[in-house]
C-alpha cells in the first residue's frame, strides 16, 4: 500500500556519507520535529534526475528553506558512495541531504517502489516528492510517468 497524506513516515535506517565513510541515519531522526521536503529519484546520475530534478532543488534550496522547510532530502535506491559523488557533481551536498536507500527499505515501506529490471536497474524508487511535518505526510506528489512535473522543486514550492 502506498503512503498517503496523513500517514507517518516509516522508521528505517538508511545511509549518508559521513566524515569516515557511510554512516547510518534513521528517518525518525531526520523527520521528527522537522518540516521536511523529500524527493525521490529512480537513480543517481540518470538523465532526468541529473539534468532536471536534483538541479531544481539545488537552485531553489535557499528559497525552500526560507519558506519554513527545515531540511531537503534527496533519496534514491543507491549506496552512500554514489549519492555522495552525485551530490558533489551537482553541488548539492551543502544544501540537500543525499540519502542512500541502498536496499530499497524506505522505498518499499512507502509503497513507492518500481520494477526497473527492464532497464537493468532492479528495484528502484518511483519519482515523487513529499512534504512531512513532524513525520506526518502533508503533501505527496507522485509522477504518473516519465518526466519531472508534479515532483519538481517549483511544484512543491507552490504547496509550501
Amino acid at each position: 500500500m502506498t503512503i498517503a497524506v496523513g500517514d507517518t513516515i516509516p522508521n528505517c535506517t538508511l545511509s549518508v556519507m559521513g566524515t569516515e565513510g557511510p554512516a547510518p541515519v534513521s528517518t525518525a531522526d531526520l523527520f521528527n520535529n522537522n518540516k521536511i521536503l523529500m524527493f525521490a529519484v529512480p537513480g543517481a546520475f540518470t538523465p532526468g534526475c541529473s539534468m532536471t530534478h536534483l538541479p531544481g532543488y539545488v537552485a531553489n534550496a535557499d528559497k525552500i528553506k526560507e519558506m519554513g522547510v527545515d531540511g531537503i532530502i534527496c533519496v534514491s535506491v543507491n549506496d552512500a558512495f554514489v549519492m555522495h559523488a552525485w551530490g558533489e557533481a551537482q553541488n548539492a551536498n551543502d544544501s540537500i541531504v543525499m540519502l542512500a536507500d541502498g536496499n530499497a527499505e524506505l522505498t518499499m515501506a512507502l509503497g513507492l517502489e518500481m520494477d526497473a529490471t527492464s532497464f537493468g536497474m532492479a528495484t528502484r524508487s518511483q519519482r515523487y516528492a513529499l512534504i512531512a511535518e513532524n513525520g506526518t505526510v502533508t503533501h505527496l506528489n507522485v509522477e504518473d510517468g516519465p518526466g519531472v512535473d508534479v515532483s519538481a522543486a517549483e511544484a512543491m514550492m507552490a504547496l509550501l
Side-chain angles (χ1 to χ4, degrees), residues 15-34:
S15 299
V16 294
M17 186 58 72
T19 57
E20 297 183 19
V25 62
S26 75
T27 52
D29 289 341
L30 292 169
F31 284 88
N32 289 353
N33 301 313
N34 289 308

Side-chain angles (χ1 to χ4, degrees), residues 4-7 9 35-36 130-141 156 159-160:
V5 170
D7 290 347
I9 299 292
K35 184 173 185 176
I36 299 294
L130 63 79
I131 298 170
E133 294 188 40
N134 195 27
T136 300
V137 178
T138 59
H139 296 86
L140 174 63
N141 288 357
M156 298 308 291
L159 301 174
L160 293 172

